[in-house]
Structure formats: C-alpha cells, structure tokens
Amino acid sequence: MRIILDGMGGDNAPEEIVKGAVEAIEEIEHEIIIVGHPELIEDELRKNGYEGDRISIEPAYDIITMEDSPVKAIRRKTGSSMVIGLNMVKEGRGDMFVSAGNTGALVVGARMILGRIRGIDRPALASIYPDLSGGHPGLLVDAGASSESKAGNLVEYGLMGSIFADKVWGIRDPKVGLVNLGTEEGKGTSVTKDAYQRLKKSHLNFIGNVEGREVPNGVCDVIVCDGFTGNVILKLTEGVAMSVFKQVKNTITTGMKNKIGALLIKKDLYALKESFDYEEYGGAPVLGVNGPVIKMHGSSSAKAVRSAIIKGIPYARENVVDIIRQELLKIEEDDDADYSI
Amino acid sequence: MRIILDGMGGDNAPEEIVKGAVEAIEEIEHEIIIVGHPELIEDELRKNGYEGDRISIEPAYDIITMEDSPVKAIRRKTGSSMVIGLNMVKEGRGDMFVSAGNTGALVVGARMILGRIRGIDRPALASIYPDLSGGHPGLLVDAGASSESKAGNLVEYGLMGSIFADKVWGIRDPKVGLVNLGTEEGKGTSVTKDAYQRLKKSHLNFIGNVEGREVPNGVCDVIVCDGFTGNVILKLTEGVAMSVFKQVKNTITTGMKNKIGALLIKKDLYALKESFDYEEYGGAPVLGVNGPVIKMHGSSSAKAVRSAIIKGIPYARENVVDIIRQELLKIEEDDDADYSI
C-alpha cells in the first residue's frame, strides 16, 4: 500500500509531518509518499535520521494555506501538495491521502477530484468525539462539510459512519445515535423526525435520539447530526471542558492550604487533561468520496501524524469505500429501506 | 404588584414552592397569590410559620404533570394551577406568572392564553446560560420553544433578549451574539447568514457570530440561536461540565498521596461546582407573549423559587412587554431596518 502524505499542510508542516512519517514507517510495512517541496522534505528526513527506502517524495511547490478559500484554492493551486496528493489517489498512484491542511479545501478537493460515491448526496467530514466517561471515542458525522442537511443526508452519515467504525475501529454493530432535542420518537425538527423514521427502518444498529446531555458520555459509536450542529458540538465541548479545567486549576492553586493539595494532585490532573487529547485515535475520515481521505488536526504533532497514518490504514485496506458503494446498491434494491432524498 | 405563583408545578411542589414564597415575601413589598390545592398550600404555609396577609391562595384542583402533552393539557386541564394562573394574568388579576411546571405546557399556555405580542412571529423560551469564566450569566434565546427558526425569528430573539437583559438585569446596551459555525461574516446556513445581515443593520449591540468554543466564556449577554441548537447547547454544556467534574473528582480521590490533596481541596471544589448552579440569578422568561411569564427549573428548591420571584419582579415592573411592543412598532416604521419574516 502507498500512503500519500500531505507534507505541507497544517501549522507544523513540514517538520512534524515528516517526523510523524518517520515514526510511523518503523511500525508498518507499507510505503509513504510525502508530497511537498523536495528540499524541505529531504532536510527533515535527514534531521530525523531516515535512511530507508520506503519513504519517498513527490514534488509539489505550492501550498494551500489555512487562509485560502477552499474552492478557489483547489481550482487554482493545481501545483499544491493537496491537489497533487488527491490526484495521486485518483490516478491509482496512491491508496490513501492523509493531510493536516485547510479542512474546507480538503473536503472540497476530495469531492471535486475524487468525486462523490454514486448514491451519496453529500460527502461528510467526520470527527473523533471524546468519550468523557473514559471509553473509546465516537465518530461524529457531519462535523461541518455541509451546514444544512436533509433527512436522507443524515441517514447517509449514519450508514457511512457505521461502516467506518466497524471496519476501521473494529467496533462490531456500532451504535448509531441521532442528535436531537429529546429522546422520544417524534421530537425535533421536520428533518430529524424524518431521519429518525428512516434510521429506524434501516439495518443499522440505531439506538434512537441522543440529547446534548448524553453526547459526551459515549452512549453511541456514531453520532449523527447536521454539520452546523456538529460544529457547535465539537467547539462547545472543547470550550466547556477547557473552562472547567481552568476553574478547577484556579481553585486548587488559590489559598495557602490548597497549594499543598495542588502540588500533590497537579501531575494527575495534567494526565487527566491529556486524556481528553485523543491524538492516539488517529485522524478523521472524509466519507462519501471515491477514495480514502484522512483529515488530521491542523496543529497535529508528530505523534498525531504517526497515529493518523497507522490508524488510518484499515480505511484503505478494508476497502471501506467499496463497502459503502455496495451497501448503497443494496439499499437501492431494497424497497423496505428508502434512503432516497 | 400581584405575583401569581404556580403552587403545584415542578418536582418539589408544593413544599419548596411555598417555602420559597414565604422566604421571598419578607424581602418584597408585593403580594404573592399561590395557585393550587388550598389545603395543601395552607398546610405548607403553616409549616413555614407564615401568618402574614400578603400571601393568599387561589384554588386550583388539577395539576399539569411533566408527562402531560402540552397542547392537550392546556386545552383540557382548565382547572389546573397553570391554566388558572395564566388566566389571572390575562384578566389583570395578576401582574406576572411564575412556574416550575411542564416547560412545554407553560410555553404553549402562555402563547394560547396570553397571546403573542403583535409583530412577534414566535415567542421564545429564554434560558440563563452560565458564564464559565465567572461573570454574569447570559440569556440564551431560544432554548427550545420552537425547533426551527427563520432569520426573522432570530432577530426577534435578539431584540427581546436585549430588552430583558437591559431592563431586568440592568445590563446597559447588552452584547448580542449569533451562534454560528465560524466568526466571519458570510459563514453558516442560509438562515444564520440572513439573520447576521439583519442584526447588523439593527440598532442592537450586535457583536457578530459566536462559535461554540466562545459560548461558555461570557463573550455576549444575549446568545441568539434557534431552539434546536439552544437545546443542544444547554444540555451539552451540562453534560460536559458534569463529566469533567466527575473525572476530576475520580482523579483526586484515587491513590494514597492524592487522598491528602483531595481532603484539602474537596471543599473548594464543591464551592466551584456550586458556582455553576446559577439559582441565584432567578428564572428564565418566556418572551414575546402579552404578559410576564417566568419559568423556573423543574427541580427548583425554595432558594431558587425565592430568587425567581425576586429577580423576576422587574420583568413586570419595568413593563418589558410594553417596551417590546413599542420597539416592534418602531421597527415597523423604520424602513432601513427590515425585520419582516
């Protein structure tokens, strides 16, 4: 397998990207092709003491930055590491594309260059959502590829997320939950009500509506919502968790007697905070396009890059894209389950 | 002023409701009329040693429970404390209605019995949203009265919330923020994009889009969003904060050395947790109906009831309903600001 890695995308490119690739290559039997400015990438490979032959370089002299407008960037920056990398997957010169670059551009690029899977109305960007009660994180779909969704889109998100959680994470019969404003059937907007009925009729392991209160407690493996809600959930979770940590820290470092307590537990609290950092679970997939694409966080460290590469491999190896394609065909043939939009 | 209090609504009725009324009456110069089963209310007044003449009872023998369907309950349970209380405000026998009962029924009842303010398309349920950085909480509108909103509704929420924050909380020129998936103008759904432009043109102190990450940090006084998003925000904030607290508690009570630290800071952490409990800020208004209606949390304690009564008084005294009415008329006359839906 040839993994195509965007050497120039993200806040810490190319340093952490290349370092992550060097760390990953030791643990896998595949090839990594880093797309980017050859001299810069070579420099980094040298710094990291890499002398093997399973990491190679595909030259790309342009970069899509975080400030670039997604559609314009994909159309105009044809020499960028992102466009070249996606084209390599399209042309069969690579089996998977991994990038920490501009999220919007990656989603648009995946859609424009690789194309939508036939039967999928809207590809989605998934995100790894922490289980604050300590279990395996969930997959939140859509994390913001589209700001508005129809009921059929939500069903697609559930289907694609379910296949990914099964094949890539090894969670058998993953639990699919629909974010809604109440747990009872019949609650919500016209879109969520309709989606509820379709998910209920589907062969997915649909556990019903999930309220905001339950979202952080790992009640389901696939968290289905429209991209607007998904964006609010991801950012609010981060905001609330960070605020509470800050208040706890202020509380335990205020006052004489507490300073003693603070010293004693500081280390453990730091470890706890780290546990919310789920770099070890890898990147998040762009789902519904004709090829495996993995999005890493923009500020990914080498550790996160290493993890996104290694954990992402089953996305390509298990032919998740083909399975999604087949499941959609099955659904088209099945009169009982209507996924039409 | 006569404050009408729902004596039978909520998990702790009538005990905590009556106790709260007795505590409040000492601090105000107004009358409180408790609507409910006369013998039960009398019993509670006696238990609390109340012998004054500013608390009276309006008999109501029926109760709208948490399980009742809102519309049916308001239509059929005409002898319930909620329906009788709302009718008293409508008929001028009371100046404000305060209830800890079924939220859906209270919103529907306020709309059906008191009616919408002319010019308001959709009344809203507000909610008090904590400022996790320690400041005065914000007012989140809508917290779930409607699951879907048009751009004009969002502008109404901003307007009504702004008047409430000014007149009831005393926040001059309150900052109004629109929940969205990015801070930049032009981000979001068709509805939030449109609402942004209208809010920008309005005379409100509109600070622009607010992302989920910033919502818990007190960046604005009035947090505007549709009821679906509002519901998710409120419940997710609670869910994440409780999960993090639980993890912190587990961390500091695990391991020998930490037990010492834990003992030292336990009390302070408890105080911190309490600070997220914003009972002291009073209840949340139903906005856009022809009369002041205050919703208390279903599990309100006497302290919360006392606070909802006292803090709610300016909602009636400052004629917030009339001001909303006048502001809407002004807007109708003003060609530049188009609030039409």
Side-chain angles (χ1 to χ4, degrees), chain B residues 79-125:
Chain B
S80 64
S81 55
M82 190 184 279
V83 173
I84 289 178
L86 286 166
N87 272 311
M88 289 173 76
V89 174
K90 189 190 178 185
E91 293 156 9
R93 295 164 60 208
D95 301 287
M96 175 166 87
F97 184 59
V98 181
S99 175
N102 184 317
T103 307
L106 186 64
V107 172
V108 168
R111 208 155 51 191
M112 284 171 64
I113 295 169
L114 299 174
R116 283 181 289 142
I117 293 176
R118 187 175 161 265
I120 289 291
D121 180 53
R122 290 198 194 162
L125 174 66

Side-chain angles (χ1 to χ4, degrees), chain A residues 247, chain B residues 131-137 216 281:
Chain A
Q247 296 285 348
Chain B
D131 174 0
L132 299 187
S133 68
H136 193 288
Y281 292 102

